Amino acid sequence: MRAARLIKMVLLLQARSCMTAGELARELEVSERTVNRDAQALSEAGVPVYADRGRAGGYRLVGGYRTRLTGLGRSEAEALFLSGVPGALREMGLADAASAARLKVAAALMPSLQDAPRTAAQRFHLDAPGWFRAPRTPALLPRIAEAVWDDRCVTAHYRRGDGEVERLLEPYGLVLKAGAWYLCARVPDPGAFRTYRVDRFTSLAARDTRFDRDEDFDLPGYWAAQAERFARSILRAEAVVRLSPEGVRGLPGAVGQPSAREGLAGAGEPDGAGWVTVTLPVESEEVAYAQLTGLGPEAAVLAPASLRARFVRDAARLAALYEEA
């Protein structure tokens, strides 16, 4: 365990040239005291690790030092061949580059690991688009991906509502969500990050200037926050619903996690039969009707009155229909 950690520490310092004890502790998931002891152990073993003190200090390797401990284990080699999503790479125009990289890595593997690409492909496959929809590649996606890789500013025209707007953008990253591509970009004025659906771009022109990337920008974290914010922003109405224990269990699947989480958090105590009353944030009465219908007799709408009346009316029609049958 410690040997693997020491190797990882050397590789980190080799890749980043200088790291503080705190940074190394976070990467290695140990305490700073352990980092200090490990650095001492490496130095005693002949690895030229030294520490610079002061505000810009940290641990470094003596200039030019390179370790040869870079051989891949089986699990590492197989994971490497899982890192690419073939469909997404093809859509971004990177299929040839990814194929060449995989061939080069495969050629460098030890004979005992030559089957890593095949064993990984036999066991795992990612099919990103949702069911019952034909995946469509936005025409401008390869050009946007090129700008993202190159940190290149772009001028883009984007469909919004019934019109079209022009934007100067700094393209930070691309996200593939349920078969749809999204661009996360910074608008220089006012310097805020925005999310754009790629298939709504009508034109895009790369500029001569590059932007200085904010190294603290965390694409997965940004996307998670945006997705949560969007899911909550569309919930503009409310419905008061009485739920059975089975209805409580089925609520997240019916109305979605954000609505169910908020509604159940404010629920009162269950009655003698285990039923609870919740106030759910919903997108609209129309959407709430479609969602809550899926809970059947495990949910009773109490408000708004218009939504309750619709359930009462349709329940009566359904009962009459089955009586006739």
Side-chain angles (χ1 to χ4, degrees):
M1 183 70 178
R2 190 188 186 198
R5 189 175 70 243
L6 293 174
I7 292 172
K8 184 175 181 180
M9 183 174 178
V10 173
L11 294 175
L12 284 168
L13 293 174
Q14 182 174 297
R16 305 187 192 180
S17 72
C18 181
M19 296 180 69
T20 66
E23 291 171 337
L24 284 167
R26 285 191 294 274
E27 289 283 352
L28 300 172
E29 299 181 351
V30 295
S31 67
E32 292 189 22
R33 290 185 62 184
T34 299
V35 168
N36 296 333
R37 287 196 297 267
D38 285 353
Q40 181 65 31
L42 287 170
S43 181
E44 292 172 357
V47 178
V49 178
Y50 71 98
D52 278 340
R53 298 187 181 278
R55 186 173 181 180
Y59 285 100
R60 303 173 186 271
L61 293 173
V62 171
Y65 179 84
R66 307 290 294 179
T67 178
R68 295 184 179 182
L69 298 174
T70 54
L72 294 176
R74 170 167 293 278
S75 61
E76 295 169 328
E78 292 176 343
L80 176 64
F81 287 95
L82 287 174
S83 61
V85 183
L89 291 170
R90 184 172 57 252
E91 291 179 5
M92 289 189 291
L94 300 174
D96 291 342
S99 176
R102 284 193 294 269
L103 287 172
K104 290 178 180 179
V105 173
L109 293 175
M110 294 186 299
S112 62
L113 301 178
Q114 291 291 328
D115 64 338
R118 179 179 58 82
T119 57
Q122 285 177 335
R123 289 164 173 78
F124 301 98
H125 175 68
L126 176 61
D127 185 9
W131 287 102
F132 313 118
R133 63 178 67 178
R136 297 176 59 186
T137 303
L140 295 175
L141 179 61
R143 291 170 59 188
I144 293 174
E146 183 178 353
V148 169
W149 279 113
D150 202 29
D151 293 341
R152 179 78 61 177
C153 296
V154 299
T155 300
H157 288 85
Y158 186 79
R159 292 195 310 274
R160 189 175 67 182
D162 296 331
E164 189 174 279
V165 296
E166 181 181 282
R167 290 285 184 267
L168 172 62
L169 300 175
E170 297 175 352
Y172 265 66
L174 285 163
V175 175
L176 177 60
K177 170 70 172 179
W181 284 95
Y182 296 87
L183 173 67
C184 303
R186 183 168 61 185
V187 183
D189 184 15
F193 285 94
R194 299 284 187 269
T195 304
Y196 301 88
R197 184 159 169 150
V198 172
D199 59 11
R200 292 181 184 169
F201 285 108
T202 58
S203 68
L204 183 129
R207 300 170 70 94
D208 294 333
T209 55
R210 290 185 171 89
F211 61 92
D212 294 325
R213 178 175 288 268
D214 181 356
E215 296 301 328
D216 292 331
F217 177 75
D218 174 20
L219 180 59
Y222 169 82
W223 177 258
Q226 288 293 106
E228 178 75 15
R229 189 176 298 115
F230 172 75
R232 184 60 185 86
S233 69
I234 63 175
L235 304 177
R236 300 187 179 94
E238 287 185 345
V240 181
V241 185
R242 189 165 173 262
L243 297 167
S244 71
E246 185 65 29
V248 169
R249 286 189 288 271
L251 188 63
V255 302
Q257 287 288 350
S259 177
R261 185 167 56 245
E262 186 170 329
L264 292 173
E269 291 296 321
D271 63 17
W275 287 63
V276 297
T277 299
V278 301
T279 300
L280 295 173
V282 295
E283 185 174 346
S284 64
E285 285 193 22
E286 190 69 27
V287 172
Y289 177 80
Q291 293 174 329
L292 295 172
T293 297
L295 293 175
E298 308 303 329
V301 173
L302 305 180
S306 55
L307 181 59
R308 178 178 174 83
R310 181 171 180 179
F311 271 96
V312 171
R313 182 180 67 249
D314 287 357
R317 290 176 57 197
L318 189 63
L321 182 64
Y322 276 93
E323 288 175 0
E324 292 174 4

